């Protein structure tokens, strides 16, 4: 794991101790800080989070704000052109997910941490299968796993 993009569902779970996967979000955050893994916070994610909670409630000093720029927009257009959206998925939501995928691709972000298995992770996996992306998704529902920080290598139990 050389860098990570945090999506809106991660931020919501990280900031709300009543959410089911809050502990995993906190562990990933702490481990990224400890290992000095850059945590990118897209301006797209910031706008989504700000709808329900102030972004200033978060420890912003530990995040690298990632503006959505021209290169990201061009990459996103190619992803949208190449990958069809499932008809049951909300068009606007998927379009924002594709923007995040484009940012990961342009910035060579190795991992994306999310709680969103139903759309974001699904489309990221499809993009990887078709060669449109290299970023790996880490789902909070799977709990914290230090192997993500060790190139997939799990530690042996004593």
């Amino acid at each position: 794991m050389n860098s990570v993009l945090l999506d809106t569902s991660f931020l919501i779970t990280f900031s709300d101790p009543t959410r089911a996967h809050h502990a995993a979000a906190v562990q990933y955050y702490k481990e990224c800080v400890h290992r000095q893994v850059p945590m990118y916070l897209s301006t797209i994610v910031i706008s989504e989070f700000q709808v329900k909670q102030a972004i200033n409630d978060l420890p912003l000093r530990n995040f690298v704000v990632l503006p959505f720029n021209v290169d990201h927009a061009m990459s996103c257009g190619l992803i949208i052109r190449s990958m069809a959206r499932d008809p049951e998925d909300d068009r606007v939501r998927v379009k924002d997910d594709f923007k995040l995928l484009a940012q990961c691709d342009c910035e060579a972000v190795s991992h994306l941490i999310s709680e969103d298995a139903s759309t974001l992770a699904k489309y990221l996996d499809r993009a990887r299968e078709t060669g449109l992306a290299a970023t790996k998704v880490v789902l909070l529902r799977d709990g914290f796993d230090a192997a993500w920080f060790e190139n997939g290598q799990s530690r042996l139990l004593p």
Side-chain angles (χ1 to χ4, degrees):
M1 184 179 285
N2 68 25
S3 57
V4 62
L5 183 92
L6 306 173
D7 81 336
T8 309
S9 67
F10 174 90
L11 294 183
I12 292 167
T13 301
F14 175 72
S15 65
D16 183 354
T18 66
R19 298 208 26 131
H21 305 110
H22 173 74
V26 170
Q27 281 183 287
Y28 278 115
Y29 170 82
K30 287 181 177 180
E31 195 66 19
C32 285
V33 169
H34 173 72
R35 293 180 185 245
Q36 298 181 333
V37 174
M39 291 181 283
Y40 289 100
L41 195 54
S42 171
T43 52
I44 295 158
V45 169
I46 291 170
S47 70
E48 291 176 339
F49 186 80
Q50 186 71 28
V51 170
K52 300 266 181 159
Q53 184 174 347
I55 195 67
N56 293 336
D57 290 348
L58 299 175
L60 295 177
R61 69 188 174 284
N62 292 315
F63 301 124
V64 178
V65 174
L66 183 59
F68 188 76
N69 65 33
V70 173
D71 291 338
H72 302 154
M74 291 177 4
S75 178
C76 182
L78 295 175
I79 291 171
I80 291 171
R81 182 189 311 163
S82 301
M83 279 189 6
R85 168 184 59 86
D86 291 346
E88 66 275 6
D89 291 336
D90 178 67
R91 181 182 147 317
V92 173
R93 184 174 176 189
V94 171
K95 194 162 76 169
D96 281 347
D97 287 349
F98 284 1
K99 290 174 186 175
L100 298 179
L101 300 183
Q103 286 185 300
C104 286
D105 182 55
C106 288
E107 303 303 324
V109 174
S110 66
H111 293 78
L112 184 146
I113 305 179
S114 179
E115 193 171 62
D116 181 6
S118 63
T119 54
L120 182 57
K122 173 177 74 174
Y123 289 111
L124 180 53
D125 286 343
R126 285 184 193 169
R128 288 183 72 231
E129 289 168 7
T130 60
L132 291 170
T135 304
K136 296 176 183 169
V137 66
V138 178
L139 288 171
L140 292 176
R141 72 174 185 199
D142 296 334
F144 177 79
D145 186 351
W148 287 111
F149 296 92
E150 303 290 341
N151 293 323
Q153 181 67 42
S154 296
R155 297 181 193 268
L156 296 175
L157 298 173

